[in-house]
Amino acid sequence: MSNTMAPWLLPDGYGRPALAALLREGSVVTEAGRFAVRRGATRHTRRRTPFAGGAAARAAEPVLLIPGFLAGDWTLAAMNKELRERGFRTYRSHIHANVNCTLKSALDLETRLEQLVERRGSRVQIVGHSLGGMIGRGLAARRPDLVAGLVTMGSPMRAPAAHHALLTRGVRALNRLSDAGLPGVMSSDCVGGECAHLSFVEVQEPLRADVQMTNVYSRRDGIVDWKACIDPEGRAVEVRASHVGLAVDPRVIDIVSASLLHQSAAFAGDLTAVATA
C-alpha cells in the first residue's frame, strides 16, 4: 500500500512550513527556561505563604490532557503540574507515544472520557497539543455528552497534512513499520485511506452549542501551518512560541488556564439560563 498522504488532507490555502521555519523551534530552550524561572518564583512565594491561604479553589470540570504526535503524557507534565496547582483536576491520557492509528487512539480516549465522567459526575474539558488537539476536536464533535470544552495548541485541524516534511518522514516510517507487521503504529490507511478520511471528516463536524473551544496558535510555529490551527467554530488566541514550546511556555499555560475557566463559566451560564427559562 502507498505511504503517500491523501491530497485532501492539505486543502488549498494551506502549506507546509519551509525548512528555515524549523530553526524557530530552537526557541523551545528559552521557553523551557522561562518555565523554570516561573517555577522557581512560585516555590519562593509558596514558602512565604501561610498554608491556609495557599490552596487554589477547585475548578468545576475535570481536565484531560492529550499529547501530540510522537509524544506522550510526559511532554505535558509541566502544564499538568501548573494546572493542578491552580485548582484544576487534571488527568493523563495514558498515551506513552502518540503513534497509533488516530481512530484507535480516539476510541481509547473515548473510553477514558466515559470513565472520568462516571467517576466525577461531570463532563470533561480537553487540552490537546498538536495531534492531541485534533483527536480532542473529533471527540468533542462526536461525544458532546462527555466533552464540555476544548483547548487546542498548534493543532492543524483544517489541514492535517500542513506540517513540516520532517514530520511527514516520521509518518512514513511508521507506515513502513505497520506494513512490516508491527502493531500499535499508524498504517498507510491512517494517512491515505478510509481511516484518514473518517478522521478528517469527524474533525470538521460542527460542535454542539454548549461545547466551548479555544484555538491557541503561533505564527512562529515551525512544525505546522498556523493558519490550519484556527477553527471557525473556536475562539482563536495568538501566542508567540515554538510548536514544541506551546506545551511548556508559562505564557501559554496562563492562556490555557484562563480559557478553561472562561469555558467553564460559559457552560455554567448556559446551565443557569436553561434552569431559569
Side-chain angles (χ1 to χ4, degrees), residues 79-112:
M79 183 167 292
N80 178 67
K81 187 174 183 64
E82 279 282 317
L83 292 178
R84 275 189 168 269
E85 291 182 356
R86 299 181 191 200
F88 293 97
R89 186 178 283 111
T90 60
Y91 295 89
R92 297 187 298 272
S93 67
H94 293 165
I95 293 176
H96 301 296
N98 200 347
V99 296
N100 207 340
C101 166
T102 303
L103 285 181
K104 174 63 168 59
S105 295
L107 288 174
D108 290 343
L109 288 167
E110 186 174 347
T111 299
R112 179 87 169 117

Side-chain angles (χ1 to χ4, degrees), residues 109-142:
L109 288 167
E110 186 174 347
T111 299
R112 179 87 169 117
L113 287 170
E114 290 172 341
Q115 294 169 345
L116 292 177
V117 169
E118 181 177 2
R119 178 179 175 182
R120 293 300 175 190
S122 172
R123 292 196 296 167
V124 179
Q125 292 212 65
I126 294 175
V127 175
H129 183 211
S130 196
L131 176 60
M134 294 168 61
I135 295 174
R137 173 66 170 83
L139 288 168
R142 185 169 76 250

Side-chain angles (χ1 to χ4, degrees), residues 261-273:
L261 291 174
H262 171 80
Q263 292 173 176
S264 181
F267 175 57
D270 289 343
L271 290 182
T272 301

Side-chain angles (χ1 to χ4, degrees), residues 142-156:
R142 185 169 76 250
R143 294 298 305 271
D145 58 314
L146 301 177
V147 181
L150 170 68
V151 179
T152 66
M153 302 179 294
S155 303

Side-chain angles (χ1 to χ4, degrees), residues 92-236:
R92 297 187 298 272
S93 67
H94 293 165
I95 293 176
H96 301 296
N98 200 347
V99 296
N100 207 340
C101 166
T102 303
L103 285 181
K104 174 63 168 59
S105 295
L107 288 174
D108 290 343
L109 288 167
E110 186 174 347
T111 299
R112 179 87 169 117
L113 287 170
E114 290 172 341
Q115 294 169 345
L116 292 177
V117 169
E118 181 177 2
R119 178 179 175 182
R120 293 300 175 190
S122 172
R123 292 196 296 167
V124 179
Q125 292 212 65
I126 294 175
V127 175
H129 183 211
S130 196
L131 176 60
M134 294 168 61
I135 295 174
R137 173 66 170 83
L139 288 168
R142 185 169 76 250
R143 294 298 305 271
D145 58 314
L146 301 177
V147 181
L150 170 68
V151 179
T152 66
M153 302 179 294
S155 303
M157 297 162 290
R158 309 306 295 176
H163 54 243
H164 196 278
L166 186 64
L167 209 63
T168 303
R169 287 195 285 272
V171 171
R172 289 173 177 167
L174 292 175
N175 294 164
R176 288 192 290 271
L177 289 173
S178 178
D179 293 343
L182 182 68
V185 296
M186 290 182 181
S187 68
S188 300
D189 189 54
C190 294
V191 296
E194 183 63 18
C195 177
H197 182 259
L198 289 173
S199 297
F200 181 68
V201 168
E202 187 171 74
V203 170
Q204 312 304 315
E205 289 292 321
L207 296 177
R208 201 168 74 181
D210 62 343
V211 178
Q212 306 288 317
M213 178 170 62
T214 301
N215 305 133
V216 180
Y217 72 96
S218 172
R219 293 173 190 260
R220 287 183 52 80
D221 197 314
I223 301 296
V224 304
D225 183 352
W226 63 268
K227 297 187 295 297
C229 302
I230 302 175
D231 191 305
E233 294 203 32
R235 181 175 68 99

